[in-house]
Amino acid sequence: MMKAQALANHLAENPVDDEYQPLSTYFPDKEVNSVEVILEDTNAWKMIFNGAVNVKGVRIGAIFISPTAQHYPATTRLQFFCRNNTVEYEACIMGMNIAIDQDVDELLIMEDSDMIIRQARGEWQTRDIKLLPYIQHVEDLRKRFKSIEFTYIPRFRNELADALATLASMLPYLGNVYINPLEIQIRERHCY
């Protein structure tokens, strides 16, 4: 585990300015994958997605966050088998299609699978023949946006999309179901 002070010291010794170049510093802790600053763009929508395969089935979910911070959930239960990586692509493509249908021009896509994000960015390639059509379809959909960015997020920031995917697997309905958007309230005191 890396101590917070070690990271603070490293950042203090390497300040970020206009001439910033990424450092190739060795961190012995394999848990630290990356540190990123996500600039808030007031015109961009955000999409966080997730997919999962378990004994209850295959399900995918996405959360759209508007420029005004409104959250819009979408979830689907798939009636065909997918592996873990293909289900993540199913969730990403579902979300991208919804964004296109809603005329979203600028989109920041976030997910907790570093592999999926790096493949979507074109940084990593695959030899898995089952993933190639997904990667090509994501590339085709990218062209329909004015601006699109793929960003890795830690798993704890993806809990809501994961919860939606789980919800899709638990609903007993066989057909399409529409549930009004969820309202989550925060209470600071007891209801009585």
Side-chain angles (χ1 to χ4, degrees):
M1 180 168 171
M2 178 183 282
K3 292 190 176 190
Q5 189 60 48
L7 183 58
N9 290 344
H10 177 78
L11 294 173
E13 293 170 11
N14 299 286
V16 175
D17 59 13
D18 293 338
E19 298 175 10
Y20 172 73
Q21 293 293 320
L23 302 172
S24 55
T25 303
Y26 172 72
F27 287 106
D29 187 355
K30 294 178 183 173
E31 295 294 318
V32 177
N33 186 8
S34 66
V35 177
E36 290 187 42
V37 175
I38 300 174
L39 299 176
E40 295 295 321
D41 184 349
T42 57
N43 294 324
W45 281 71
K46 295 178 185 137
M47 180 184 86
I48 304 171
F49 70 92
N50 203 355
V53 179
N54 64 25
V55 295
K56 292 191 177 236
V58 180
R59 67 255 199 270
I60 57 179
I63 305 293
F64 294 91
I65 305 168
S66 75
T68 59
Q70 295 281 30
H71 288 60
Y72 301 95
T75 188
T76 299
R77 184 186 325 190
L78 304 180
Q79 296 292 335
F80 52 91
F81 180 75
C82 287
R83 296 178 316 171
N84 286 337
N85 293 333
T86 54
V87 78
E88 299 288 349
Y89 274 108
E90 287 283 345
C92 180
I93 290 169
M94 174 196 72
M96 291 175 79
N97 282 324
I98 291 171
I100 290 167
D101 290 346
Q102 297 301 315
D103 296 323
V104 171
D105 290 333
E106 300 177 29
L107 185 61
L108 172 61
I109 298 176
M110 299 177 281
E111 218 270 333
D112 62 14
S113 170
D114 191 41
M115 184 196 80
I116 301 296
I117 293 299
R118 289 181 184 266
Q119 286 176 345
R121 287 181 188 161
E123 295 173 3
W124 288 0
Q125 295 180 350
T126 184
R127 292 186 182 154
D128 186 342
I129 198 160
K130 293 179 181 174
L131 292 182
L132 294 176
Y134 287 104
I135 294 168
Q136 182 60 53
H137 195 62
V138 167
E139 185 59 35
D140 293 343
L141 291 174
R142 283 181 77 135
K143 297 172 185 171
R144 308 224 6 223
F145 293 90
K146 184 172 104 177
S147 168
I148 191 166
E149 184 179 335
F150 291 86
T151 300
Y152 169 82
I153 58 172
R155 185 172 300 277
F156 74 88
R157 288 193 51 208
N158 204 12
E159 288 177 336
L160 187 53
D162 184 51
L164 279 174
T166 301
L167 178 64
S169 74
M170 297 176 81
L171 291 175
Y173 305 105
L174 298 176
N176 290 338
V177 176
Y178 178 78
I179 299 174
N180 283 326
L182 302 171
E183 180 180 341
I184 301 172
Q185 299 177 352
I186 298 174
R187 292 188 177 172
E188 296 181 6
R189 55 188 174 153
H190 299 282
C191 62
Y192 55 84

